[in-house]
Amino acid sequence: MIKASKGGGGKGIRFVDNEDDLRNAYVQVQNEVIGSPIFLMQLCKNARHLEVQIVGDEHGNAVALNGRDCSTQRRFQKIFEEGPPIIAREPRVPVQRRHGKLLLP
């Protein structure tokens, strides 16, 4: 995948599977999101797209609010978001606390 960091809404992202397509897609992404840094990422097939809202303050306090499942997409654009993400198992909560030092309500 080629992705512009300032892209969104399906703009600035392309799937490629060979070198010729890589060259063409890179130029397309550059022209769609002018001035944006561009990076490559590996496509994870059969993965879920889960998002978590995080609120923090200047004192380093942070709280993870409800998450949502944004996996239903068409052309890299979210169709709808479902919350809470029932696909996420409970063991994810301690992992979030350990790595993000987050407090969950």
Side-chain angles (χ1 to χ4, degrees), residues 18-65:
N18 64 65
E19 190 174 342
D20 290 335
D21 288 347
L22 174 66
R23 294 174 192 280
N24 294 331
Y26 187 87
V27 171
Q28 290 175 348
V29 168
Q30 268 186 320
N31 291 330
E32 274 185 22
V33 189
I34 296 169
S36 175
I38 298 172
F39 57 95
L40 301 177
M41 45 190 234
Q42 184 175 356
L43 176 65
C44 298
K45 294 182 179 181
N46 301 317
R48 304 297 296 188
H49 176 167
L50 305 180
E51 295 181 357
V52 177
Q53 295 296 112
I54 299 173
V55 177
D57 65 19
E58 70 234 23
H59 305 291
N61 300 308
V63 177
L65 304 175

Side-chain angles (χ1 to χ4, degrees), residues 56-99:
D57 65 19
E58 70 234 23
H59 305 291
N61 300 308
V63 177
L65 304 175
N66 267 338
R68 58 189 181 266
D69 187 346
C70 306
S71 300
T72 305
Q73 299 189 10
R74 180 176 51 228
R75 287 172 278 168
F76 309 113
Q77 174 74 35
K78 286 182 272 191
I79 304 289
F80 64 86
E81 299 175 357
E82 177 185 2
I86 57 174
I87 193 76
R89 288 176 274 149
E90 204 50 40
R92 296 280 183 233
V93 173
V95 171
Q96 285 178 330
R97 285 189 178 141
R98 260 196 327 272
H99 295 289

